[in-house]
Amino acid sequence: MAEQAKRPVKITETILRDAHQSLIATRMSTEEMLPIIEKMDKVGYHAVECWGGATFDASLRFLKEDPWERLRKLRAGFKNTKLQMLFRGQNILGYRHYADDVVEYFVQKSIANGIDIIRIFDALNDLRNLECAVKATKKENGHAQVAICYTLGDAYTIDYYVNLAKDIESMGADSICIKDMAGLLVPYQATELVTALKKAVNIPIDLHTHYTSGVASMTYMKAVEAGCDIIDTAMSPFALGTSQPATEVMVETFKGTPYDTGLDQNLLAEIADYFRPLRDKALEKGLLNPKVMGVDIKTLLYQVPGGMLSNLVSQLKEQKAEDKYYEVLAEVPRVRKDFGEPPLVTPSSQIVGTQAVLNVLAGERYKMVTKETKALLSGEYGRTVKPFNPEVQKKVIGDKKPITCRPADLLEPELKKIEAEIAEWKEQDEDVLSYALFPQVAMEFFKYRKAQKTGIDITEGDKENKAYPV
Amino acid sequence: MAEQAKRPVKITETILRDAHQSLIATRMSTEEMLPIIEKMDKVGYHAVECWGGATFDASLRFLKEDPWERLRKLRAGFKNTKLQMLFRGQNILGYRHYADDVVEYFVQKSIANGIDIIRIFDALNDLRNLECAVKATKKENGHAQVAICYTLGDAYTIDYYVNLAKDIESMGADSICIKDMAGLLVPYQATELVTALKKAVNIPIDLHTHYTSGVASMTYMKAVEAGCDIIDTAMSPFALGTSQPATEVMVETFKGTPYDTGLDQNLLAEIADYFRPLRDKALEKGLLNPKVMGVDIKTLLYQVPGGMLSNLVSQLKEQKAEDKYYEVLAEVPRVRKDFGEPPLVTPSSQIVGTQAVLNVLAGERYKMVTKETKALLSGEYGRTVKPFNPEVQKKVIGDKKPITCRPADLLEPELKKIEAEIAEWKEQDEDVLSYALFPQVAMEFFKYRKAQKTGIDITEGDKENKAYPV
Ligand SMILES: [Co+2]
Ligand SMILES: [Co+2]
């Protein structure tokens, strides 16, 4: 391949965010990260993803750490490497839509505390839910990477992705991420998709996937051959299974080819040596379940994320209706169609899954509905790729007039009010944002923080084991 | 890719041999296999590897099963699928060179009891050590697949492999296997190697690798694109880690491409559902160590199989010389060069590794040598790819004249003698072969078998956990 021009692929390292979020319920602490970041800073990664996603919530809730303090410490150590965070559009890092003033302030403070690249996505791929965050990022001179949730379904043609990518470029995004939460993008499909996107836009393409279904490294390989600029990988001790392909493996694979990353395997080996005992500890403690290290091909068979399948099983167990599993599995794609065929990712995966269970158990479709189903069919989450099934919508929301505007346009500014609520606990400006996103959890943390200073320990970290791979 | 001609890739399933040998120390019992083989028989595999390698020894030693009886039961169940075994050339399934009459008789009985394809290899790639087995296979109308041990080193150029492949075709082999025990064949190198072999020979090419270093699925992909006819995979519950890539993953990857295997994912899912509880049980019992499920990139860094590295560590620990690890690691390639640069696979990996340890600990190279080092440098294992270092050879074997002929030419027929030795225990002709290969273990088994019939249990399976991935 000597004749081909060099086109080194760039590596975004996920071990400090997505890898431990996916494998060990986001439980890696700042203390466990700091001793190795000087070495990581020498690797020459395109970026290190280290903040956002579930790490913010998990820091406050389980680790009793201030996430802002973590960010500042990482920034101090990573002198030459770009730091990246994951940002859920108008949901920021939380679970509801926030007013624009909160979104803008969060972006501002994220960048002020050290973030370089903000990866912004919306569960419905409704770009209106990203506008505010993207604008704020540009205003703060950050790199705005907009992520497309990758999913399968009639509506999700190559043309759909191409048009979305063009709109993203027009929005002023600096790069595009194909975000394949469930590992649904198979290798030869990646060839087609990346080839089409590279033709359609000029900004760099980053591919993010998970090893869940076992195809991820091959998918990266085909994507890179088709022109993908950046791939997301995790150092081997926290790679594979529900996490990303291993960094060292992809580096080795492309060595001596036009895509050679140029990264130093011996340096990576030293970094892996540091993380390996953390993996062993997680295995011992049961935090890392060997079951998530295998291959779950059912994700591809049913086109449903692995986590959603296990949720269905446990919901049916609770109702003593495990015999309805295959009926529910058949109902899922029908509900998804009724709901405008959204990608199945938090929160749409839960909404669709729960409604499918209710439809089967009630013996009549949409006889029982959740409030989230109502909100979704009222347009409160935004616009889906296809219209809602009008009959289902009518049955669920009656004569209520659905929202068609950008949902956040209906939200009043809320920062002032939040600021007032926690005035007595505030030790830094950023506390307002912690409280805005997770009022209860942040308040408990503030109390804990105060108690630490006064020497009285009034609370303890919640040890419940929750995983949110995104 | 509609314009490309269809070229379906064939799948050899390893779950009944290499997969459990590599992951759970060859402990899958016949009883665990039988309930699923009717379904497996419907898949349309090119072959199911289910016998030979370490399964013979493990059946007798640990499971207290007659391996011949297993083979007959598998043959009875697999009505439409070819059964394949792994055969170590003149070593058969044992650890020394046997006389030709034993080799011939073993081949004859393997085929008579149900084997269709015999994969034959030699640790030094000395084809003279395969001649007898290949001829015997052809005589019994079996499919003789000759395996090339894949390794790295100055001598192991594409030309080396091409010449070897041509010689194998000339020997009358029905197909060629590239046998990558350690997962050293990286993807773009697979493109070059397979392309060259396909040009050089007309018989089918089968690629066998292990996931150890994390590149295996990508290596299969590039090999298939380059024309590889058959790949070896394992059903997902016993795939990855030190085993093979997952069957379902490779099937899914090639679906809809010119390489489409045509296998039915729903049927494969049912088979995986059967094996998953066996995996869970192995994890619970500690038989499957989650550590072997990860990626061991050191294999690629040091070009030494993972198992050999851990052997070096434990040898040095025993000698309280762990600080010499990197010195020994540097000595390994030097010893390998002195020994004519053999592939590092049983038994050469042990011979080279132990000698490297002795050279470092003694403070003088080849001051202390093992009897295996002497035998190797006397030519008793066969011919290496490069000549031995004459100075080292002289220091080790002195004026003794090295063997240059085929080692087995010096062995007298031994079958008669063996037959006489166990006459009183013999219940079937095949018992002679069990005893020929593993005299002690077979004798213990014969006693156990007799005791079972008389109702007196005089022995119990050895529970020691040993793994031999080949
Ligand atoms: Co992710
Ligand atoms: Co093998």
Side-chain angles (χ1 to χ4, degrees):
Chain A
M1 287 191 291
E3 73 282 7
Q4 257 184 272
K6 283 203 193 308
R7 191 163 53 66
V9 61
K10 292 172 182 166
I11 300 284
T12 292
E13 173 61 51
T14 69
I15 193 162
L16 302 184
R17 206 283 300 175
D18 202 1
H20 74 99
Q21 178 173 330
S22 300
L23 291 180
I24 55 165
T26 333
R27 294 302 202 278
M28 199 183 287
S29 67
T30 306
E31 203 178 291
E32 289 171 321
M33 297 173 181
L34 295 181
I36 195 62
I37 62 179
E38 194 185 328
K39 265 188 189 155
M40 287 180 74
D41 194 35
K42 289 184 185 141
V43 169
Y45 289 123
H46 167 67
V48 170
E49 195 199 34
C50 60
W51 211 63
T55 64
F56 195 94
D57 186 4
S59 293
L60 286 169
R61 190 188 300 261
F62 305 117
L63 303 172
K64 295 295 166 199
E65 280 188 19
D66 179 14
W68 300 98
E69 190 58 27
R70 172 183 293 186
L71 176 52
R72 289 188 288 267
K73 285 179 178 167
L74 292 173
R75 179 71 286 166
F78 279 109
K79 296 185 196 320
N80 306 301
T81 309
K82 287 189 173 146
L83 299 185
Q84 181 172 317
M85 74 174 288
L86 182 66
F87 197 105
R88 285 199 282 270
Q90 210 71 24
N91 298 153
I92 312 179
L93 311 176
Y95 307 109
R96 67 168 176 93
H97 276 198
Y98 298 94
D100 289 344
D101 62 343
V102 180
V103 173
E104 286 159 6
Y105 195 46
F106 203 101
V107 167
Q108 185 195 318
K109 285 299 185 186
S110 298
I111 292 175
N113 281 281
I115 288 295
D116 300 290
I117 302 172
I118 306 190
R119 174 178 292 170
I120 306 162
F121 78 100
D122 174 65
L124 302 185
N125 286 335
D126 182 349
L127 297 184
R128 300 171 310 168
N129 291 332
L130 310 177
E131 272 168 20
C132 177
V134 170
K135 273 188 202 149
T137 304
K138 300 305 300 171
K139 191 180 160 208
E140 303 296 328
N141 296 314
H143 176 122
Q145 180 180 79
V146 171
I148 300 172
C149 291
Y150 181 79
T151 188
L152 301 171
D154 293 345
Y156 297 95
T157 59
I158 295 287
D159 275 354
Y160 166 81
Y161 291 113
V162 162
N163 289 330
L164 201 57
K166 284 180 178 167
D167 291 345
I168 289 169
E169 188 172 41
S170 305
M171 279 177 85
D174 298 293
S175 60
I176 291 177
C177 172
I178 305 164
K179 181 175 162 59
D180 180 15
M181 308 75 63
L184 296 175
L185 181 59
V186 292
Y188 293 97
Q189 203 55 37
T191 304
E192 282 194 44
L193 178 59
V194 173
T195 303
L197 293 189
K198 286 302 288 181
K199 261 187 216 156
V201 299
N202 292 312
I203 53 180
I205 307 285
D206 185 334
L207 178 56
H208 175 89
T209 189
H210 288 252
Y211 221 89
T212 324
S213 63
V215 298
S217 54
M218 291 184 282
T219 298
Y220 278 168
M221 170 172 255
K222 298 315 285 183
V224 166
E225 290 177 355
C228 180
D229 302 279
I230 309 158
I231 55 176
D232 289 10
T233 63
M235 289 298 302
S236 59
F238 288 91
L240 307 195
T242 48
S243 174
Q244 274 77 49
T247 305
E248 305 98 300
V249 170
M250 299 313 302
V251 167
E252 194 65 25
T253 293
F254 294 125
K255 190 172 281 176
T257 75
Y259 322 112
D260 198 331
T261 63
L263 305 194
D264 175 0
Q265 281 289 16
N266 290 303
L267 180 56
L268 292 175
E270 289 176 33
I271 295 167
D273 284 343
Y274 173 81
F275 282 110
R276 204 166 296 108
L278 295 184
R279 172 198 172 87
D280 293 344
K281 202 177 79 182
L283 274 168
E284 265 169 47
K285 287 171 64 182
L287 197 56
L288 174 55
N289 182 342
K291 287 194 187 183
V292 306
M293 300 311 299
V295 158
D296 184 2
I297 198 77
K298 287 195 172 143
T299 284
L300 290 174
L301 271 183
Y302 302 122
Q303 304 189 353
V304 155
M308 186 172 162
L309 288 176
S310 43
N311 274 345
L312 292 180
V313 170
S314 49
Q315 284 185 40
L316 287 172
K317 241 184 202 158
E318 270 174 36
Q319 305 296 323
K320 300 202 193 302
E322 287 145 286
D323 57 315
K324 306 284 190 196
Y325 181 66
Y326 287 97
E327 244 178 283
V328 170
L329 219 49
E331 177 67 3
V332 164
R334 289 193 292 256
V335 172
R336 191 172 164 230
K337 286 253 169 191
D338 291 338
F339 288 7
E341 211 171 26
L344 294 176
V345 58
T346 305
S348 54
S349 53
Q350 288 87 340
I351 302 175
V352 169
T354 304
Q355 193 55 54
V357 170
L358 289 178
N359 285 0
V360 168
L361 294 190
E364 182 192 324
R365 307 185 73 220
Y366 306 105
K367 187 177 174 185
M368 289 158 63
V369 293
T370 62
K371 71 176 199 306
E372 287 80 11
T373 290
K374 274 188 192 161
L376 182 78
L377 292 177
S378 304
E380 289 173 25
Y381 288 92
R383 195 160 48 204
T384 46
V385 57
K386 284 191 172 179
F388 302 130
N389 179 333
E391 286 168 40
V392 170
Q393 192 185 28
K394 175 91 188 172
K395 181 161 184 180
V396 170
I397 69 165
D399 291 329
K400 190 181 156 194
K401 203 175 140 54
I403 295 167
T404 55
C405 67
R406 184 182 76 110
D409 282 341
L410 303 173
L411 301 174
E412 294 297 322
E414 48 184 332
L415 210 46
K416 282 262 160 61
K417 187 178 141 277
I418 292 164
E419 211 157 1
E421 273 176 46
I422 65 136
E424 72 164 302
W425 297 96
K426 188 175 131 178
E427 292 186 10
Q428 58 177 348
D429 289 347
E430 290 80 1
D431 288 345
V432 177
L433 290 163
S434 302
Y435 182 78
L437 264 56
F438 302 101
Q440 282 185 315
V441 172
M443 184 53 73
E444 282 219 14
F445 173 74
F446 297 151
K447 287 178 183 166
Y448 167 83
R449 184 172 62 183
K450 193 164 195 175
Q452 288 296 96
K453 285 180 185 162
T454 56
I456 309 157
D457 186 3
I458 55 169
T459 180
E460 216 217 350
D462 182 340
K463 298 291 185 290
E464 192 196 347
N465 190 334
K466 267 171 99 181
Y468 336 65
V470 289
Chain B
M1 287 191 289
E3 72 281 5
Q4 259 184 271
K6 284 205 193 308
R7 192 161 54 66
V9 62
K10 293 173 180 162
I11 300 284
T12 292
E13 173 62 51
T14 68
I15 193 162
L16 302 185
R17 207 282 300 175
D18 201 1
H20 74 100
Q21 178 173 332
S22 299
L23 291 179
I24 55 165
T26 333
R27 292 303 201 279
M28 198 182 287
S29 66
T30 305
E31 202 178 294
E32 289 171 322
M33 297 173 182
L34 294 181
I36 195 61
I37 62 179
E38 194 186 327
K39 268 190 188 153
M40 288 180 74
D41 194 36
K42 289 186 185 138
V43 169
Y45 290 123
H46 166 68
V48 169
E49 195 201 34
C50 60
W51 211 64
T55 64
F56 195 94
D57 186 4
S59 293
L60 286 170
R61 190 188 301 259
F62 305 118
L63 303 172
K64 295 295 166 200
E65 281 188 18
D66 178 14
W68 300 99
E69 189 58 28
R70 171 182 294 184
L71 176 54
R72 288 187 290 265
K73 285 179 177 167
L74 292 172
R75 179 72 284 168
F78 280 109
K79 298 188 196 316
N80 307 300
T81 309
K82 287 189 175 149
L83 301 184
Q84 181 172 317
M85 75 173 289
L86 181 66
F87 197 105
R88 285 199 283 270
Q90 209 70 25
N91 298 153
I92 312 179
L93 310 175
Y95 306 110
R96 66 168 175 93
H97 276 198
Y98 297 95
D100 289 345
D101 62 343
V102 180
V103 173
E104 285 160 7
Y105 194 46
F106 204 100
V107 167
Q108 185 196 320
K109 284 298 182 184
S110 299
I111 292 175
N113 280 282
I115 289 295
D116 300 290
I117 302 173
I118 306 189
R119 175 177 291 169
I120 306 161
F121 78 100
D122 174 66
L124 303 185
N125 286 334
D126 181 349
L127 297 184
R128 299 173 309 169
N129 291 332
L130 310 177
E131 271 168 21
C132 177
V134 170
K135 273 187 204 151
T137 304
K138 298 308 298 172
K139 189 179 161 209
E140 303 296 328
N141 295 313
H143 176 123
Q145 181 181 78
V146 171
I148 299 172
C149 291
Y150 180 79
T151 188
L152 301 171
D154 294 344
Y156 296 94
T157 59
I158 295 286
D159 275 353
Y160 165 81
Y161 291 113
V162 162
N163 289 330
L164 202 55
K166 285 180 180 168
D167 290 346
I168 289 169
E169 189 172 41
S170 305
M171 276 176 86
D174 298 293
S175 60
I176 292 177
C177 172
I178 304 164
K179 180 176 164 56
D180 180 17
M181 309 74 63
L184 296 175
L185 181 60
V186 293
Y188 293 97
Q189 202 57 36
T191 305
E192 282 193 46
L193 178 60
V194 173
T195 303
L197 293 189
K198 285 303 288 182
K199 259 188 219 157
V201 298
N202 291 313
I203 53 180
I205 306 285
D206 185 334
L207 178 56
H208 174 89
T209 188
H210 288 252
Y211 221 88
T212 324
S213 64
V215 298
S217 54
M218 292 183 282
T219 298
Y220 278 167
M221 170 172 255
K222 298 314 286 183
V224 166
E225 290 177 355
C228 180
D229 302 278
I230 309 158
I231 55 176
D232 289 10
T233 63
M235 288 300 302
S236 60
F238 288 92
L240 307 194
T242 47
S243 173
Q244 273 78 49
T247 304
E248 306 97 300
V249 170
M250 298 313 302
V251 166
E252 194 65 25
T253 294
F254 294 124
K255 191 173 278 177
T257 74
Y259 322 111
D260 198 330
T261 63
L263 305 194
D264 175 2
Q265 281 290 15
N266 290 304
L267 181 57
L268 292 175
E270 289 176 34
I271 296 167
D273 284 344
Y274 173 80
F275 282 110
R276 205 167 295 109
L278 295 185
R279 173 199 170 87
D280 293 345
K281 202 177 78 180
L283 274 167
E284 264 170 46
K285 287 170 64 182
L287 198 54
L288 174 55
N289 182 343
K291 287 194 187 182
V292 306
M293 300 310 300
V295 157
D296 183 3
I297 197 78
K298 285 191 174 147
T299 283
L300 290 174
L301 271 183
Y302 302 122
Q303 303 189 353
V304 158
M308 187 173 161
L309 287 175
S310 42
N311 274 345
L312 292 180
V313 169
S314 49
Q315 285 187 39
L316 287 172
K317 242 184 200 157
E318 270 174 36
Q319 304 296 323
K320 299 203 193 303
E322 287 144 286
D323 57 314
K324 306 284 190 197
Y325 181 65
Y326 287 97
E327 242 177 286
V328 169
L329 220 48
E331 176 68 2
V332 164
R334 288 192 294 257
V335 172
R336 191 171 165 232
K337 287 252 170 194
D338 291 338
F339 288 5
E341 211 169 26
L344 295 175
V345 57
T346 305
S348 55
S349 54
Q350 288 87 339
I351 303 174
V352 169
T354 304
Q355 192 57 51
V357 169
L358 289 178
N359 284 0
V360 168
L361 294 189
E364 182 192 323
R365 308 185 73 220
Y366 305 106
K367 187 179 173 185
M368 288 158 64
V369 294
T370 63
K371 73 176 198 305
E372 287 80 11
T373 291
K374 273 187 194 163
L376 183 78
L377 293 177
S378 304
E380 289 173 24
Y381 288 92
R383 194 159 49 202
T384 46
V385 56
K386 283 190 172 178
F388 302 131
N389 178 331
E391 284 168 39
V392 168
Q393 191 184 28
K394 174 93 189 168
K395 182 162 181 180
V396 170
I397 68 163
D399 292 327
K400 190 182 157 192
K401 203 173 143 50
I403 295 168
T404 56
C405 67
R406 185 182 76 108
D409 282 341
L410 302 174
L411 301 174
E412 293 298 322
E414 47 184 331
L415 208 46
K416 283 260 160 62
K417 188 177 141 280
I418 292 165
E419 213 158 0
E421 272 177 49
I422 64 136
E424 72 165 300
W425 297 97
K426 187 173 132 179
E427 293 186 9
Q428 58 178 348
D429 289 348
E430 290 79 1
D431 287 345
V432 177
L433 290 163
S434 302
Y435 182 78
L437 264 57
F438 303 101
Q440 282 185 316
V441 172
M443 185 52 73
E444 283 220 12
F445 173 75
F446 297 151
K447 287 178 185 169
Y448 167 83
R449 186 172 61 183
K450 192 164 196 176
Q452 287 296 97
K453 285 180 186 165
T454 56
I456 310 155
D457 187 4
I458 54 167
T459 178
E460 214 215 353
D462 182 342
K463 297 293 185 289
E464 192 196 346
N465 190 336
K466 266 172 101 183
Y468 338 62
V470 288

